[in-house]
Amino acid sequence: MTVTDTIADMLTTIRNGLVLSKEFVHTPSSKLKLNILEIIKEEGYIKSYKEEEIRKGIKKIKITLSYVNGEPSIKLISRISKPGRRVYSKIKNLPSYFKGYGTTIVSTSKGIMTDKKARISNLSGEILCQIF
């Protein structure tokens, strides 16, 4: 089966793993996913991630999920910009998720970063996803 939106597939895998209280989940690897996971890890929503090679040229990412007192660290995770409907935002209109308690991940000309770093760097771009 061909997946057209690999980021949404990864976010859904994480969401489903949290609902089932799994320790870790796997998803196919890509540079974009690794950049997004690095931000999610820095923000404290997951414990870690590691890229593993299944066979030559085929890699997957093992994502270790984070829980606090048995509750998932991620309450909500959603994809904003989709292949059929891209969502771009100017710096003035960059959304703050849950009044700054959540994180919005933005793809800018200087790479993928959080909404807070984008405001500091005075950059705008495509809104990829939001996490709380």
Side-chain angles (χ1 to χ4, degrees), residues 18 25 29 45 54 59 72 122 125:
L18 291 169
V25 293
S29 181
Y45 292 112
I54 301 171
K59 295 180 182 178
N122 199 26

Side-chain angles (χ1 to χ4, degrees), residues 32-68:
L32 181 62
K33 288 181 185 180
L34 290 171
N35 291 334
I36 291 171
L37 286 172
E38 181 61 32
I39 291 173
I40 294 173
K41 180 183 169 201
E42 286 173 2
E43 295 292 317
Y45 292 112
I46 61 172
K47 283 185 185 175
S48 64
Y49 66 92
K50 185 171 79 171
E51 191 175 37
E52 301 172 342
E53 189 163 3
I54 301 171
R55 57 185 179 270
K56 188 174 181 179
I58 306 293
K59 295 180 182 178
K60 68 178 178 178
I61 306 170
K62 179 180 179 181
I63 305 167
T64 306
L65 302 174
S66 177
Y67 298 90
V68 178

Side-chain angles (χ1 to χ4, degrees), residues 7-112:
I7 297 171
D9 184 51
M10 178 185 71
L11 298 178
T12 301
T13 302
I14 292 171
R15 189 180 315 112
N16 290 342
L18 291 169
V19 168
L20 297 174
S21 300
K22 297 233 178 195
E23 183 181 347
F24 56 86
V25 293
H26 293 95
T27 186
S29 181
S30 74
K31 287 182 182 180
L32 181 62
K33 288 181 185 180
L34 290 171
N35 291 334
I36 291 171
L37 286 172
E38 181 61 32
I39 291 173
I40 294 173
K41 180 183 169 201
E42 286 173 2
E43 295 292 317
Y45 292 112
I46 61 172
K47 283 185 185 175
S48 64
Y49 66 92
K50 185 171 79 171
E51 191 175 37
E52 301 172 342
E53 189 163 3
I54 301 171
R55 57 185 179 270
K56 188 174 181 179
I58 306 293
K59 295 180 182 178
K60 68 178 178 178
I61 306 170
K62 179 180 179 181
I63 305 167
T64 306
L65 302 174
S66 177
Y67 298 90
V68 178
N69 298 328
E71 293 293 316
S73 296
I74 299 173
K75 305 293 183 229
L76 295 170
I77 187 167
S78 62
R79 177 85 157 112
I80 303 301
S81 186
K82 300 175 184 178
R85 187 181 65 88
R86 300 289 183 186
V87 178
Y88 297 93
S89 177
K90 294 181 180 179
I91 192 69
K92 293 185 284 186
N93 302 330
L94 199 59
S96 179
Y97 199 49
F98 280 96
K99 297 187 179 182
Y101 289 107
T103 303
T104 300
I105 298 177
V106 183
S107 175
T108 67
S109 59
K110 302 287 184 190
I112 297 175

